[in-house]
Amino acid sequence: MSDCLFCRIVRGEIPSAKVAESASCLAFRDIAPKAPTHVLVIPKAHFDSVLAVEDGPVVGDMVMLAQEVARAEGIAEGGFRLVINTGADGGQTVGHLHLHVLGGRGLKWPPG
Ligand code: AMP
């Protein structure tokens, strides 16, 4: 996926504010944060969405890196939210699987 925005971030062709990294995943700050902490955790390999994932490890790896981010950002104790928007109705705007890590304020439920 040579022209995928997040693949280009993984390759370092587009700058990002990196927060953490594992062998399979990268975490960087969302360019338009919706909360005091808003980090995106993505697999380095391309998946169009969560529907393209055919086995569990990649999602587990994303959650493990999200845990690390939440602790490092100081939001683990107070609470935070993990979100994977999927498809048009789900609000997905970038076609590369990503997990939003949101925290640092009280988050409302249900989402809009
Ligand atoms: P979604 O709407 O769930 O697909 O989330 C895509 C997210 O990517 C949005 O929250 C955008 O603000 C964020 N985003 C788009 N371009 C960039 C970028 N170059 N660097 C960091 N975050 C980005």
Side-chain angles (χ1 to χ4, degrees):
M1 297 297 291
S2 59
D3 58 351
C4 165
L5 173 63
F6 287 175
C7 285
R8 296 190 69 194
I9 285 178
V10 169
R11 292 197 298 267
E13 294 170 7
I14 292 176
S16 69
K18 185 167 116 179
V19 172
E21 186 172 9
S22 66
S24 61
C25 298
L26 178 67
F28 54 94
R29 296 197 190 282
D30 195 292
I31 204 167
K34 311 300 187 296
T37 292
H38 188 174
V39 172
L40 301 175
V41 175
I42 68 169
K44 292 178 181 174
H46 182 88
F47 297 88
D48 287 345
S49 79
V50 77
L51 291 171
V53 175
E54 290 175 352
D55 54 24
V58 66
V59 177
D61 288 353
M62 292 167 72
V63 170
M64 295 312 292
L65 192 59
Q67 272 188 23
E68 184 182 320
V69 168
R71 292 197 179 97
E73 294 285 312
I75 59 171
E77 209 162 302
F80 59 96
R81 189 171 294 169
L82 302 181
V83 175
I84 299 178
N85 293 327
T86 305
D89 281 356
Q92 183 177 5
T93 60
V94 176
H96 181 126
L97 174 62
H98 50 282
L99 177 63
H100 295 259
V101 183
L102 295 150
R105 65 172 172 83
L107 298 167
K108 296 196 177 2
W109 189 263

